[in-house]
Amino acid sequence: VSRHWHFALQNLLTRNDGAALGHAPFIAELDNQSSAQWDLSYRQHQMLLCGGGKEAWDKTKGYFINRRCTHFQEATNTLLVFQWDSPLENGKLTSAAARDFLGDLRRYNLNPSRSAVLINAGLELAINVKDKTKSVAEMVRAKLPDTVRSLDPIASVGGKVAWRLSTQVCCQTYPGDPLRETLGKLYFVDNSTSCLNKHRTPMFPVQKLLAEVNANVEQQLSTMKRKVGILDAWALTDHSKCGKYEDWVHAPRLAYEQIERWVVEILNCSCTGG
């Protein structure tokens, strides 16, 4: 989801509704009235350029393979940076990412006070934690403060830091499914895709874990001195929008609505929609 934002923002900067800078042949939907579909191969092109989550989380292959990609849009004097990172590393990698980002800004002669950083680590805190003896709440309390503090170099020069709450999982079961009675109505959404990953493993337990992560992140951020904005992507992906998901977790057709909310509510800009 976060990686896709890197390309969706490129599309917005160029107003290129067909292909993002010639790299990824997917079709943008810039508003809710559009009926365009994203090309099914868009994710493979994005992974080729910016890496994939599996590689980013697999230490056996070298931690964070292809972990960073950048794009400078000269016409708008805007730098976009996407980076795989991990709150499970106690802020060490995020600190390095912040230093690299500030270095990029200096290289392009950009004003750091006008920079913005958006973080999300829901899936990693929910399912990639090695120490399963700790609760979600304990893991968030242990890892989130260091991650946020590691971005102080950006916030201290006026840059805006925000956390994107994880989007919802889109699940559906079918008539006769034995899980129907045990799961409850939450997971039965018309026009939804099946809640299976590519290995055909049911992903419905992730919904509860992500909800726990989001709730604990909000609570923890409210107690910290450093002001961090919160983009409630969970509320923006309620199950009435399941029909726009392409699988249990990816919903590129909903990206622009989330981006607009971030720009308006977190960056305090009213310049969207034109």
Side-chain angles (χ1 to χ4, degrees):
V1 175
S2 297
R3 180 190 58 213
H4 177 68
W5 272 47
H6 182 72
F7 295 90
L9 284 166
Q10 287 183 34
N11 252 17
L12 287 175
L13 289 174
T14 60
R15 299 297 301 186
N16 182 353
D17 297 357
L21 307 173
H23 293 314
F26 55 79
I27 301 172
E29 175 179 294
L30 294 178
D31 57 66
N32 290 331
Q33 285 70 48
S34 173
S35 60
Q37 298 289 324
W38 294 84
D39 186 285
L40 294 178
S41 64
Y42 83 93
R43 205 186 311 157
Q44 285 70 35
H45 287 272
Q46 293 181 359
M47 288 175 65
L48 181 65
L49 293 169
C50 298
K54 181 179 179 181
E55 291 80 8
W57 291 326
D58 191 346
K59 291 186 178 181
T60 64
K61 295 183 179 179
Y63 209 62
F64 296 119
I65 297 173
N66 295 327
R67 65 190 182 96
R68 191 172 193 265
C69 55
T70 64
H71 170 74
F72 179 67
Q73 179 62 35
E74 187 172 359
T76 59
N77 203 35
T78 305
L79 176 69
L80 299 174
V81 178
F82 168 77
Q83 181 148 345
W84 294 105
D85 215 324
S86 172
L88 305 181
E89 298 296 309
N90 298 318
K92 296 177 182 177
L93 295 172
T94 319
S95 293
R99 291 193 298 272
D100 290 344
F101 180 60
L102 289 173
D104 289 335
L105 295 179
R106 288 192 293 270
R107 185 160 55 253
Y108 287 101
N109 295 314
L110 298 176
N111 185 350
S113 69
R114 301 186 64 185
S115 64
V117 176
L118 189 65
I119 318 167
N120 172 262
L123 273 177
E124 188 158 12
L125 287 169
I127 64 177
N128 290 314
V129 175
K130 305 304 182 195
D131 183 2
K132 302 298 184 182
T133 64
K134 290 186 177 181
S135 68
V136 167
E138 289 173 322
M139 187 56 63
V140 171
R141 286 196 299 269
K143 302 299 182 181
L144 186 140
D146 286 338
T147 300
V148 172
R149 278 194 293 269
S150 69
L151 295 170
D152 274 352
I154 295 172
S156 64
V157 294
K160 293 185 177 180
V161 177
W163 190 288
R164 179 180 64 79
L165 299 183
S166 294
T167 53
Q168 297 198 40
V169 170
C170 181
C171 297
Q172 179 186 27
T173 59
Y174 302 92
D177 191 320
L179 296 174
R180 176 178 286 273
E181 296 302 321
T182 58
L183 289 180
K185 294 182 179 179
L186 175 64
Y187 295 96
F188 313 130
V189 183
D190 292 339
N191 301 318
S192 171
T193 52
S194 176
C195 190
L196 301 174
N197 66 10
K198 63 183 178 181
H199 303 296
R200 310 301 293 173
T201 303
M203 289 289 102
F204 56 81
V206 178
Q207 174 85 353
K208 179 177 181 293
L209 290 171
L210 288 177
E212 287 186 46
V213 170
N214 284 344
N216 282 281
V217 164
E218 286 193 274
Q219 192 280 326
Q220 183 74 22
L221 290 178
S222 70
T223 67
M224 298 183 67
K225 291 183 179 179
R226 172 65 68 189
K227 181 175 174 54
V228 176
I230 296 177
L231 176 66
D232 192 353
W234 182 271
L236 293 173
T237 51
D238 64 82
H239 282 178
S240 68
K241 297 178 180 177
C242 253
K244 291 189 175 182
Y245 274 61
E246 63 178 25
D247 58 20
W248 66 281
V249 69
H250 295 100
R253 294 174 61 196
L254 300 177
Y256 289 104
E257 181 183 11
Q258 297 168 38
I259 289 173
E260 182 175 40
R261 188 69 62 88
W262 174 59
V263 170
V264 173
E265 295 186 358
I266 305 298
L267 305 186
N268 300 318
C269 175
S270 60
C271 54
T272 61

